[in-house]
Amino acid sequence: MVDTASFSSVTKQLVDSSLVNHKDKGVRIYTACCIADMLRLYAPDAPYTNNNLKTIFGLFVSELRNISSPKNPYFNMYYYLLESLSVVKSIVLITDIKNANDLMVDLFRNIFDDIRPQQAKNVQICMSELLQHIIDEVKQLPQEIVDIILAQFLHKQKFDNPAAYRLACDLGNNCADKLQRYVFQYFFDIISTVGNGELSAKELADFKTVHQLVVELNKATPALLLNVIPQLEEELKVSDVTIRTLATKSLGEMFAEKTSQLASQYESTWKAWLLRRNDKSPQVRIVWIESLKELIKAHGSLAKELSGEQFIVSSQDRFKNGLSEKLVDPDEKVRAVVCKTIGEFDYETSLHHIQKSTLIQVGHRCRDKKKSVSIEAINALSTLYNQAYPEIEVGTKASISQFDWMPSAVLHAVYVNDNDIFSIVDSAVFSTLFPPHGSAAARAQRLVTTFAALDDKDRLPDPTKSSLLLYKYVQIHDDKFLKSISDCMNSKLSLKEIKKAAKETLSRIENIAPQALDVFSILLQRISLTLVNSEVLSELIRIVGESEEHRQDSGELLRSLSLIFPAIFKDHLDEILALLRDPNSAGASDSLQTLAEFAKQFPKSVPADIIAKETLQTFIESGTVTQAMHATVVLTSIPNNDAMCEEIVGTIVRRLDIASTRMLKDLSVLSQVALYSPQAFETVSSSVVSFIIKRLLMTNTLDQETMYEPEVEWVEKEDLDEYSLSKIMGLKVLVNRAIVLAESDPVLAQDAVRPVFKLLWALINQSGEIVDEKNTNNVLKSYLRLNAARLVIKLTRNRPVYEKMVSVAEYRRLALVVQDPVCRVRQGFAGRVMKYLRSKELHIRYLAVLFLAAHEPEPEWRLQIRGFLIQQSRAQGNAEGSLMLNELTLARLVHLMANHPDFAMKDTLEADGVQVSQETHSVEDLNLAVKYFEFYMETMANSENVSLIYHVASMLKTVRFANASEPTQYLYELSDLAQYLIQEKSRSHNWTLTSYPGQVKLPRELFIPLAQNELSVQLSTKLYLSSEWVRARERKAERKPKATVERKMGQATKRRSRSPSSPPPEMGSDSVDAEGEGEEGAGDDASPVRTKRAKRSKKAAERVPGEPTRRMASRAAKAKVAAYKDIDSDQEEEEEVDELESEDD
């Protein structure tokens, strides 16, 4: 027990100013240490007055500044003082001193300033404990101290002095209970200022800093934010967008912390934050989406215990649904950010925490109407595929399912028909999907693996700008440039050499014509053989010959390459022939087709040695139908080989027989000889034509009638019997001969093609039945009329001599195939029409045929046709020197409608049995006609051409049909109907109808101008439209406003909230983006047909027996289509091969 009374004189002497303020630092520190010892001995009561303590702690604070210098000769004494105050806790006496806030503030500030990472751990521990003692004991902590502590969490301070940051973390975690209210008050004071609307620019900057501070506190000392989190929740609900944005961003970062438990601790805050995904401000929605990147990575199963919110389905769906929903957000910036965010996920996250349906939505965004969205979507899918490729290559099923479709989605983007998007796709293909590095074997394997899942092809930017720049550069005559660019296309060079040539080319362009650099960069990407060169081609051929696993995909890839770039095979013909000579080669079919495509382009380079010819003859005699066809192409391409070809066709003709099992193969060989060796074919043409027409097409075998069940109208191509395939092939032989004659002898061609046309029209007019016994089964009839229709337009495309031979009446009958009772016939014909129109190979009059799909019962197919028509309209709008072909198509459509079987007025029976003729069309008839006009206007009309369209419609009342037997009265009635609907649409869209100043000439083969007399004036002013229909339409319009607004709002909401469906199979390339025209009206396509079925049943029964109506046909097709697979454009191309039709399409 220490007698403290003995120290009374010493205690007084130690606080003497001569010691406390001594100029010698040694005296001062020893004095401070002695006083600290006295405080230890007297503890818990200090032997000093308030003033003495103030002086003492002023000395302590001053001397402790020197603790930061370990080299100081008195460092041990400074540490002794620090340790004594900390261990004995005598530092807490400072909290008893009156007006000592300044001392405490100075102490805190000094320690945070002086602490350094290099200091000894025991020094740092003592500093931390010293400050903790003060915080624990003080009744009211000065706000300045709170500011000092919180300042250490700012980003700059955190990295400038990590020791001070760790000290602040220790205080926050160890004194959380005491500091919570001070931290709350700190933030409350700032946030309440915002609520008063008193923020200046500086205050707003401070406000952002405060939110950054909250995020940092959450990382280091989350317990301090107990009362701050609810404040942030309230910020989520304020009207100020900036505040909501900051709160959303801050909470998103806080929830995303790996160790964070905020979602479970603050349930209401978590739910409120989730609701910000639907914030009215795009800025807030964007910030919310950006937060998901780290959030999903760190907490794939966050907040499992939460339920009750409608959008919270499961622990993972809460995120997935948010992303998927925002991919169809009405704001393009939001959609772009979603795509970018998904593209930034690593492989594991995108595999395990992102649903495939969400990724497919990103694929749809590749075709978004806004470029910014498309670019981000393309980059996202390319990056994700590149990350996943190693797992796809080794066959990981989960990766294949999740990612292998992505290259196709990227390539589909070219169908947006935007030149900038073309260049983005190019960049993705050549830099990310197929990075130009690695060994030839690795690159070949990647091509095969990726190609196996591919279902599309690709395309250059602004053609006008590009062509001008290219032409300008060609005029420079730069030999070095021409050499380097030629090297880029040299298949013999290695990848390294090709890349070097491309680099030199771009460098040369940049020096000479920098304005052309962008165009040439894209051009070089396209033409440089970085994906496929000689090395890779050899590897692909090796895989075909050796790899059972990848043989089929490699063969298909070789076949595709031969279609696109046959020249690169010139140095690999021996390798391909080596595969063909191997009797056990499983890649013979693909190798043969590759060789055939090369032969079409470079016939003089085809191997012509005896062994090669014998190999090809072997395939013709013993190979499959497809192999025989391709072997024939190669053999007939060999120069000066007519004698062998004549021998082959002579052998075939001698054995042609209906009962022959070789008939299909022999006909396929003849079809190719007709195309590529017409001289040889003409030696046997009369015998072949006679056999096909009289013995094959005009007769049936005994088992044909019962080959399929009577109710079956279609089977897949692979299920079709060989006899039926032979009939189809026979048609192709006849057509191929006519095609060649049109080019070689136009006069003879007309005589030769007449019986072919007669045969094709008979098949079309008689629904595929031309056999006298009428015993052709329904399946074969469907195939025959489809192929007959397709072969008619094949004959006429780019062949004016044949196009002129198709009469107006025949054209009208051909158009009705678009409304065939069998869905696959409708799709097959309309798909081919669109294909030829897109490539501008078909007369523009066939565009009108597609509008007959207005009543198409299959919504997806109708949407595909609609998408094509919209693209057709845009293409004309963008073209220079427009010929108003799309607008004049309205006149052709009216001609088709006026002569349509369903628009003909029939005699009806009254109750007394008297037959009465209709004088005008019924309201129901006109409403069905309305669908055609509405389909035309929704795809072709816009504010710029509506006046011209109206002018065309009105001109129809100044003409009559060229054929006097056609119902001209219907023409005037439809003219009035079209004008009425155009005016109605113009009013609803606020379009201005003005008088069209130009001259318009209607098709002369359809219309003849009326003489300018009183009768013509009377016709032009008379209203032919049924007044009953007009009244019904007006009544509907009167009821429309509220319902229309509600429906349109509903459709808009539906488009925003609904994920767009995958592009339908047949014409996916023409699908319009789901966030615009693509979905509008799809739900109502067949409704008039369905709702009026009962009303039309009586009239249908009164029609001529056996005459199917278009509306009846569509209904019949609706019920049967479910059993059929959809045709896609690629499958259609394959059918060309499978059907042994080898003319270049």
Side-chain angles (χ1 to χ4, degrees), residues 1107-1120:
E1107 179 190 343
T1109 71
R1110 297 305 104 197
R1111 295 184 293 249
M1112 289 168 60
S1114 294
R1115 291 194 195 104
K1118 180 72 172 178
K1120 296 168 184 172

Side-chain angles (χ1 to χ4, degrees), residues 67 106 209 304 325 518 618 621 810 862:
I67 195 70
D106 288 343
T209 301
K304 290 182 180 179
E325 179 183 297
D518 290 343
T618 301
E621 290 298 319
E810 289 167 338
R862 185 182 186 275

Side-chain angles (χ1 to χ4, degrees), residues 178-220:
K178 196 70 180 287
L179 289 175
Q180 280 172 357
R181 64 187 181 96
Y182 297 109
V183 174
F184 167 75
Q185 189 63 45
Y186 174 84
F187 289 109
F188 179 78
D189 291 342
I190 296 175
I191 293 173
S192 61
T193 304
V194 178
N196 295 329
E198 300 173 359
L199 277 182
S200 63
K202 181 181 182 304
E203 289 171 331
L204 182 59
D206 292 340
F207 191 62
K208 292 180 180 178
T209 301
V210 164
H211 283 77
Q212 294 171 2
L213 185 56
V214 173
V215 173
E216 293 299 328
L217 284 173
N218 180 68
K219 294 177 182 178

